[in-house]
Amino acid sequence: QLQLVESGGGLVQPGGSLRLSCVASGFTLDYYAIGWFRQAPGKEREGVSWISCSGGSTYYADSVKGRFTISRDNAKNTVYLQMNSLKPEDTAVYYCAASRLCTVIGGGYDAWGQGTQVTVSS
């Protein structure tokens, strides 16, 4: 019943931009904080960004700070990750996940998407 679907990934040249979307179904996203994660082949999963239920608080990993922006439109049950100035090291499968802990970074997650591939290469 609780589903998240990511979209917007693809192939982009270094320095380019992509906007990822995370759409929820089966539940109202207003009551969930959302985290974005990524995993490259042979690497452990890495937390990328996080946004509180209301959108009033955000978090970014140092590796993406200043380049990525997380936002949400609760009326559309959607969270976005705008990715600018992309680098080859950003190449990974990107996942979104929803947590009932609205204002607590590091809380447990109740639903995960299946991921969308982002490839940054010239």
Side-chain angles (χ1 to χ4, degrees), residues 73-105:
D73 185 342
N74 286 347
K76 296 182 178 180
N77 247 19
T78 301
V79 172
Y80 305 97
L81 185 67
Q82 178 67 46
M83 306 186 296
N84 298 327
S85 302
L86 284 162
K87 305 174 180 180
E89 51 262 46
D90 295 318
T91 296
V93 177
Y94 284 71
Y95 303 88
C96 63
S99 172
R100 277 279 195 172
L101 300 177
C102 281
T103 61
V104 180
I105 296 175

mmCIF file of all heavy atoms in Angstrom, residues 73-105:
data_model
loop_
_atom_site.group_PDB
_atom_site.id
_atom_site.type_symbol
_atom_site.label_atom_id
_atom_site.label_comp_id
_atom_site.label_asym_id
_atom_site.label_seq_id
_atom_site.Cartn_x
_atom_site.Cartn_y
_atom_site.Cartn_z
ATOM 1 N N ASP A 73 6.504 19.299 -2.527
ATOM 2 C CA ASP A 73 5.191 19.851 -2.822
ATOM 3 C C ASP A 73 4.192 18.846 -2.277
ATOM 4 O O ASP A 73 3.830 17.882 -2.953
ATOM 5 C CB ASP A 73 5.015 20.065 -4.322
ATOM 6 C CG ASP A 73 3.715 20.760 -4.662
ATOM 7 O OD1 ASP A 73 2.796 20.791 -3.826
ATOM 8 O OD2 ASP A 73 3.610 21.290 -5.787
ATOM 9 N N ASN A 74 3.767 19.065 -1.043
ATOM 10 C CA ASN A 74 2.904 18.085 -0.388
ATOM 11 C C ASN A 74 1.552 17.938 -1.084
ATOM 12 O O ASN A 74 0.943 16.872 -1.046
ATOM 13 C CB ASN A 74 2.708 18.455 1.081
ATOM 14 C CG ASN A 74 3.928 18.170 1.926
ATOM 15 O OD1 ASN A 74 4.854 17.481 1.487
ATOM 16 N ND2 ASN A 74 3.955 18.692 3.140
ATOM 17 N N ALA A 75 1.084 19.006 -1.722
ATOM 18 C CA ALA A 75 -0.175 18.927 -2.456
ATOM 19 C C ALA A 75 -0.092 17.928 -3.600
ATOM 20 O O ALA A 75 -1.107 17.355 -4.003
ATOM 21 C CB ALA A 75 -0.575 20.297 -2.980
ATOM 22 N N LYS A 76 1.108 17.730 -4.142
ATOM 23 C CA LYS A 76 1.329 16.773 -5.216
ATOM 24 C C LYS A 76 1.909 15.461 -4.719
ATOM 25 O O LYS A 76 2.221 14.580 -5.525
ATOM 26 C CB LYS A 76 2.253 17.363 -6.276
ATOM 27 C CG LYS A 76 1.689 18.572 -6.996
ATOM 28 C CD LYS A 76 2.652 19.076 -8.060
ATOM 29 C CE LYS A 76 2.080 20.258 -8.809
ATOM 30 N NZ LYS A 76 3.016 20.764 -9.848
ATOM 31 N N ASN A 77 2.075 15.328 -3.407
ATOM 32 C CA ASN A 77 2.654 14.123 -2.823
ATOM 33 C C ASN A 77 4.021 13.808 -3.429
ATOM 34 O O ASN A 77 4.361 12.643 -3.671
ATOM 35 C CB ASN A 77 1.718 12.926 -3.002
ATOM 36 C CG ASN A 77 1.157 12.409 -1.689
ATOM 37 O OD1 ASN A 77 1.156 13.099 -0.670
ATOM 38 N ND2 ASN A 77 0.680 11.175 -1.702
ATOM 39 N N THR A 78 4.816 14.846 -3.638
ATOM 40 C CA THR A 78 6.069 14.704 -4.364
ATOM 41 C C THR A 78 7.202 15.439 -3.664
ATOM 42 O O THR A 78 7.014 16.544 -3.155
ATOM 43 C CB THR A 78 5.925 15.242 -5.796
ATOM 44 O OG1 THR A 78 4.879 14.528 -6.469
ATOM 45 C CG2 THR A 78 7.214 15.064 -6.579
ATOM 46 N N VAL A 79 8.369 14.822 -3.657
ATOM 47 C CA VAL A 79 9.611 15.439 -3.206
ATOM 48 C C VAL A 79 10.578 15.450 -4.379
ATOM 49 O O VAL A 79 10.641 14.492 -5.155
ATOM 50 C CB VAL A 79 10.205 14.692 -2.004
ATOM 51 C CG1 VAL A 79 11.597 15.219 -1.668
ATOM 52 C CG2 VAL A 79 9.294 14.839 -0.794
ATOM 53 N N TYR A 80 11.338 16.532 -4.501
ATOM 54 C CA TYR A 80 12.264 16.701 -5.606
ATOM 55 C C TYR A 80 13.699 16.790 -5.104
ATOM 56 O O TYR A 80 13.960 17.232 -3.990
ATOM 57 C CB TYR A 80 11.953 17.977 -6.385
ATOM 58 C CG TYR A 80 10.536 18.067 -6.889
ATOM 59 C CD1 TYR A 80 9.575 18.774 -6.182
ATOM 60 C CD2 TYR A 80 10.165 17.433 -8.070
ATOM 61 C CE1 TYR A 80 8.269 18.851 -6.646
ATOM 62 C CE2 TYR A 80 8.863 17.503 -8.531
ATOM 63 C CZ TYR A 80 7.921 18.214 -7.818
ATOM 64 O OH TYR A 80 6.631 18.288 -8.277
ATOM 65 N N LEU A 81 14.613 16.376 -5.952
ATOM 66 C CA LEU A 81 16.031 16.603 -5.719
ATOM 67 C C LEU A 81 16.602 17.233 -6.983
ATOM 68 O O LEU A 81 16.784 16.555 -7.998
ATOM 69 C CB LEU A 81 16.766 15.309 -5.382
ATOM 70 C CG LEU A 81 18.232 15.473 -4.999
ATOM 71 C CD1 LEU A 81 18.362 16.211 -3.662
ATOM 72 C CD2 LEU A 81 18.936 14.120 -4.925
ATOM 73 N N GLN A 82 16.845 18.532 -6.919
ATOM 74 C CA GLN A 82 17.466 19.247 -8.031
ATOM 75 C C GLN A 82 18.976 19.085 -7.922
ATOM 76 O O GLN A 82 19.567 19.463 -6.911
ATOM 77 C CB GLN A 82 17.086 20.724 -7.999
ATOM 78 C CG GLN A 82 17.718 21.567 -9.101
ATOM 79 C CD GLN A 82 17.212 21.213 -10.477
ATOM 80 O OE1 GLN A 82 16.010 21.076 -10.676
ATOM 81 N NE2 GLN A 82 18.118 21.056 -11.433
ATOM 82 N N MET A 83 19.594 18.549 -8.950
ATOM 83 C CA MET A 83 21.018 18.262 -8.951
ATOM 84 C C MET A 83 21.685 19.097 -10.038
ATOM 85 O O MET A 83 21.425 18.902 -11.225
ATOM 86 C CB MET A 83 21.278 16.776 -9.184
ATOM 87 C CG MET A 83 20.536 15.869 -8.209
ATOM 88 S SD MET A 83 20.988 14.121 -8.383
ATOM 89 C CE MET A 83 20.409 13.810 -10.056
ATOM 90 N N ASN A 84 22.544 20.021 -9.622
ATOM 91 C CA ASN A 84 23.269 20.889 -10.537
ATOM 92 C C ASN A 84 24.767 20.598 -10.444
ATOM 93 O O ASN A 84 25.243 19.996 -9.488
ATOM 94 C CB ASN A 84 23.011 22.357 -10.209
ATOM 95 C CG ASN A 84 21.559 22.754 -10.360
ATOM 96 O OD1 ASN A 84 20.848 22.241 -11.219
ATOM 97 N ND2 ASN A 84 21.115 23.686 -9.529
ATOM 98 N N SER A 85 25.501 21.077 -11.440
ATOM 99 C CA SER A 85 26.957 20.914 -11.468
ATOM 100 C C SER A 85 27.366 19.472 -11.205
ATOM 101 O O SER A 85 28.249 19.186 -10.395
ATOM 102 C CB SER A 85 27.613 21.859 -10.451
ATOM 103 O OG SER A 85 27.276 23.207 -10.710
ATOM 104 N N LEU A 86 26.734 18.562 -11.904
ATOM 105 C CA LEU A 86 26.956 17.142 -11.650
ATOM 106 C C LEU A 86 28.371 16.716 -12.008
ATOM 107 O O LEU A 86 28.964 17.211 -12.971
ATOM 108 C CB LEU A 86 25.938 16.311 -12.421
ATOM 109 C CG LEU A 86 24.543 16.302 -11.798
ATOM 110 C CD1 LEU A 86 23.503 15.846 -12.804
ATOM 111 C CD2 LEU A 86 24.525 15.405 -10.564
ATOM 112 N N LYS A 87 28.891 15.797 -11.212
ATOM 113 C CA LYS A 87 30.231 15.263 -11.366
ATOM 114 C C LYS A 87 30.163 13.763 -11.624
ATOM 115 O O LYS A 87 29.204 13.105 -11.229
ATOM 116 C CB LYS A 87 31.053 15.518 -10.096
ATOM 117 C CG LYS A 87 31.122 16.969 -9.661
ATOM 118 C CD LYS A 87 31.832 17.093 -8.325
ATOM 119 C CE LYS A 87 31.908 18.525 -7.870
ATOM 120 N NZ LYS A 87 32.594 18.648 -6.557
ATOM 121 N N PRO A 88 31.192 13.185 -12.253
ATOM 122 C CA PRO A 88 31.193 11.731 -12.463
ATOM 123 C C PRO A 88 31.007 10.944 -11.170
ATOM 124 O O PRO A 88 30.374 9.885 -11.194
ATOM 125 C CB PRO A 88 32.567 11.473 -13.088
ATOM 126 C CG PRO A 88 32.874 12.737 -13.819
ATOM 127 C CD PRO A 88 32.325 13.838 -12.941
ATOM 128 N N GLU A 89 31.517 11.444 -10.060
ATOM 129 C CA GLU A 89 31.369 10.742 -8.792
ATOM 130 C C GLU A 89 29.942 10.760 -8.250
ATOM 131 O O GLU A 89 29.651 10.092 -7.257
ATOM 132 C CB GLU A 89 32.340 11.295 -7.738
ATOM 133 C CG GLU A 89 32.300 12.806 -7.593
ATOM 134 C CD GLU A 89 33.409 13.498 -8.376
ATOM 135 O OE1 GLU A 89 33.629 13.137 -9.551
ATOM 136 O OE2 GLU A 89 34.062 14.397 -7.810
ATOM 137 N N ASP A 90 29.048 11.513 -8.885
ATOM 138 C CA ASP A 90 27.634 11.476 -8.529
ATOM 139 C C ASP A 90 26.913 10.287 -9.159
ATOM 140 O O ASP A 90 25.741 10.050 -8.854
ATOM 141 C CB ASP A 90 26.926 12.767 -8.953
ATOM 142 C CG ASP A 90 27.433 13.987 -8.214
ATOM 143 O OD1 ASP A 90 27.658 13.903 -6.990
ATOM 144 O OD2 ASP A 90 27.600 15.043 -8.863
ATOM 145 N N THR A 91 27.578 9.563 -10.040
ATOM 146 C CA THR A 91 26.968 8.421 -10.700
ATOM 147 C C THR A 91 26.580 7.361 -9.675
ATOM 148 O O THR A 91 27.415 6.900 -8.895
ATOM 149 C CB THR A 91 27.932 7.827 -11.732
ATOM 150 O OG1 THR A 91 28.176 8.793 -12.765
ATOM 151 C CG2 THR A 91 27.351 6.571 -12.362
ATOM 152 N N ALA A 92 25.310 6.974 -9.676
ATOM 153 C CA ALA A 92 24.796 6.018 -8.704
ATOM 154 C C ALA A 92 23.323 5.768 -9.002
ATOM 155 O O ALA A 92 22.705 6.464 -9.815
ATOM 156 C CB ALA A 92 24.959 6.542 -7.276
ATOM 157 N N VAL A 93 22.764 4.779 -8.319
ATOM 158 C CA VAL A 93 21.318 4.624 -8.263
ATOM 159 C C VAL A 93 20.827 5.451 -7.081
ATOM 160 O O VAL A 93 21.337 5.317 -5.968
ATOM 161 C CB VAL A 93 20.899 3.159 -8.101
ATOM 162 C CG1 VAL A 93 19.383 3.047 -7.970
ATOM 163 C CG2 VAL A 93 21.387 2.340 -9.289
ATOM 164 N N TYR A 94 19.849 6.299 -7.319
ATOM 165 C CA TYR A 94 19.313 7.185 -6.297
ATOM 166 C C TYR A 94 17.970 6.664 -5.812
ATOM 167 O O TYR A 94 17.090 6.328 -6.610
ATOM 168 C CB TYR A 94 19.157 8.605 -6.844
ATOM 169 C CG TYR A 94 20.472 9.347 -6.939
ATOM 170 C CD1 TYR A 94 21.416 8.992 -7.897
ATOM 171 C CD2 TYR A 94 20.774 10.389 -6.063
ATOM 172 C CE1 TYR A 94 22.630 9.648 -7.982
ATOM 173 C CE2 TYR A 94 21.977 11.052 -6.145
ATOM 174 C CZ TYR A 94 22.906 10.684 -7.105
ATOM 175 O OH TYR A 94 24.115 11.351 -7.181
ATOM 176 N N TYR A 95 17.806 6.622 -4.492
ATOM 177 C CA TYR A 95 16.605 6.121 -3.852
ATOM 178 C C TYR A 95 16.008 7.188 -2.947
ATOM 179 O O TYR A 95 16.739 7.936 -2.301
ATOM 180 C CB TYR A 95 16.908 4.901 -2.974
ATOM 181 C CG TYR A 95 17.554 3.737 -3.674
ATOM 182 C CD1 TYR A 95 18.936 3.649 -3.788
ATOM 183 C CD2 TYR A 95 16.780 2.712 -4.204
ATOM 184 C CE1 TYR A 95 19.532 2.577 -4.422
ATOM 185 C CE2 TYR A 95 17.369 1.638 -4.832
ATOM 186 C CZ TYR A 95 18.746 1.577 -4.938
ATOM 187 O OH TYR A 95 19.335 0.494 -5.565
ATOM 188 N N CYS A 96 14.687 7.237 -2.859
ATOM 189 C CA CYS A 96 14.036 8.031 -1.838
ATOM 190 C C CYS A 96 13.384 7.108 -0.821
ATOM 191 O O CYS A 96 13.033 5.972 -1.119
ATOM 192 C CB CYS A 96 13.020 9.018 -2.421
ATOM 193 S SG CYS A 96 11.609 8.286 -3.274
ATOM 194 N N ALA A 97 13.234 7.605 0.407
ATOM 195 C CA ALA A 97 12.651 6.834 1.487
ATOM 196 C C ALA A 97 11.867 7.761 2.392
ATOM 197 O O ALA A 97 12.222 8.931 2.557
ATOM 198 C CB ALA A 97 13.737 6.107 2.283
ATOM 199 N N ALA A 98 10.797 7.236 3.003
ATOM 200 C CA ALA A 98 9.893 8.023 3.832
ATOM 201 C C ALA A 98 9.964 7.571 5.278
ATOM 202 O O ALA A 98 9.971 6.374 5.561
ATOM 203 C CB ALA A 98 8.462 7.901 3.314
ATOM 204 N N SER A 99 9.989 8.538 6.196
ATOM 205 C CA SER A 99 10.066 8.282 7.629
ATOM 206 C C SER A 99 8.950 8.998 8.366
ATOM 207 O O SER A 99 8.685 10.175 8.099
ATOM 208 C CB SER A 99 11.418 8.740 8.180
ATOM 209 O OG SER A 99 11.442 8.674 9.593
ATOM 210 N N ARG A 100 8.330 8.318 9.314
ATOM 211 C CA ARG A 100 7.297 8.924 10.156
ATOM 212 C C ARG A 100 7.856 9.933 11.147
ATOM 213 O O ARG A 100 7.106 10.726 11.716
ATOM 214 C CB ARG A 100 6.552 7.837 10.925
ATOM 215 C CG ARG A 100 5.446 7.172 10.128
ATOM 216 C CD ARG A 100 4.191 8.024 10.155
ATOM 217 N NE ARG A 100 3.013 7.294 9.705
ATOM 218 C CZ ARG A 100 1.778 7.753 9.767
ATOM 219 N NH1 ARG A 100 1.546 8.962 10.275
ATOM 220 N NH2 ARG A 100 0.770 7.024 9.317
ATOM 221 N N LEU A 101 9.161 9.922 11.363
ATOM 222 C CA LEU A 101 9.789 10.866 12.282
ATOM 223 C C LEU A 101 10.033 12.171 11.538
ATOM 224 O O LEU A 101 11.028 12.325 10.828
ATOM 225 C CB LEU A 101 11.082 10.286 12.836
ATOM 226 C CG LEU A 101 10.913 8.984 13.619
ATOM 227 C CD1 LEU A 101 12.264 8.445 14.067
ATOM 228 C CD2 LEU A 101 10.004 9.192 14.821
ATOM 229 N N CYS A 102 9.128 13.101 11.715
ATOM 230 C CA CYS A 102 9.065 14.281 10.862
ATOM 231 C C CYS A 102 10.274 15.200 10.976
ATOM 232 O O CYS A 102 10.629 15.866 9.996
ATOM 233 C CB CYS A 102 7.799 15.077 11.175
ATOM 234 S SG CYS A 102 6.295 14.404 10.444
ATOM 235 N N THR A 103 10.885 15.272 12.143
ATOM 236 C CA THR A 103 11.949 16.239 12.372
ATOM 237 C C THR A 103 13.240 15.613 12.882
ATOM 238 O O THR A 103 14.118 16.326 13.357
ATOM 239 C CB THR A 103 11.492 17.328 13.353
ATOM 240 O OG1 THR A 103 11.162 16.734 14.616
ATOM 241 C CG2 THR A 103 10.274 18.069 12.813
ATOM 242 N N VAL A 104 13.373 14.300 12.783
ATOM 243 C CA VAL A 104 14.534 13.619 13.345
ATOM 244 C C VAL A 104 15.336 12.967 12.228
ATOM 245 O O VAL A 104 14.910 11.974 11.636
ATOM 246 C CB VAL A 104 14.119 12.558 14.378
ATOM 247 C CG1 VAL A 104 15.357 11.875 14.951
ATOM 248 C CG2 VAL A 104 13.292 13.194 15.486
ATOM 249 N N ILE A 105 16.512 13.506 11.967
ATOM 250 C CA ILE A 105 17.410 12.899 10.989
ATOM 251 C C ILE A 105 17.959 11.592 11.560
ATOM 252 O O ILE A 105 18.348 11.526 12.723
ATOM 253 C CB ILE A 105 18.566 13.856 10.643
ATOM 254 C CG1 ILE A 105 18.028 15.110 9.966
ATOM 255 C CG2 ILE A 105 19.593 13.176 9.748
ATOM 256 C CD1 ILE A 105 19.088 16.154 9.704
#
